Amino acid sequence: EDYMNPPPEEMERKRRFDRSFPSWEACRAELVSFGYEPERADGWLKEKPPRVFPQGLEGGAVWSAINPYAQWLARRTVLSQD
């Protein structure tokens, strides 16, 4: 698959990405489904500041600062410049 020119259904999946998750496990599974390496995703919890962090005071919900659609847009913009 061509990362810069994904099929329409993959492009729509990137656009619909929701950065709020009920748990770290759900967040990790979704990020891995977009091609991020599991080990890399695991490190995002431990970074200072973290790229995935708790949302709310309890319940295990997390918010992801990682956004596959934003990454795609950034790469497309940067890589398309001369």
Side-chain angles (χ1 to χ4, degrees):
E1 177 179 313
D2 180 3
Y3 180 82
M4 297 310 297
N5 298 296
E9 57 276 1
E10 181 63 12
M11 197 68 244
E12 185 58 29
R13 193 167 90 88
K14 288 180 190 298
R15 279 191 199 102
R16 287 192 330 260
F17 181 77
D18 184 348
R19 295 170 13 156
S20 182
F21 293 90
S23 68
W24 162 241
E25 293 77 16
C27 178
R28 183 180 188 273
E30 187 74 2
L31 291 169
V32 169
S33 81
F34 278 99
Y36 296 102
E37 294 293 325
E39 297 79 18
R40 185 175 181 200
D42 291 340
W44 291 332
L45 284 172
K46 302 169 189 140
E47 289 181 342
K48 300 289 182 205
R51 293 189 202 194
V52 176
F53 45 90
Q55 182 177 18
L57 299 175
E58 56 186 68
V62 298
W63 190 85
S64 171
I66 304 298
N67 183 328
Y69 183 59
Q71 180 189 46
W72 177 84
L73 287 173
R75 285 185 178 179
R76 186 168 179 100
T77 301
V78 170
L79 295 176
S80 69
Q81 294 181 356
D82 293 329

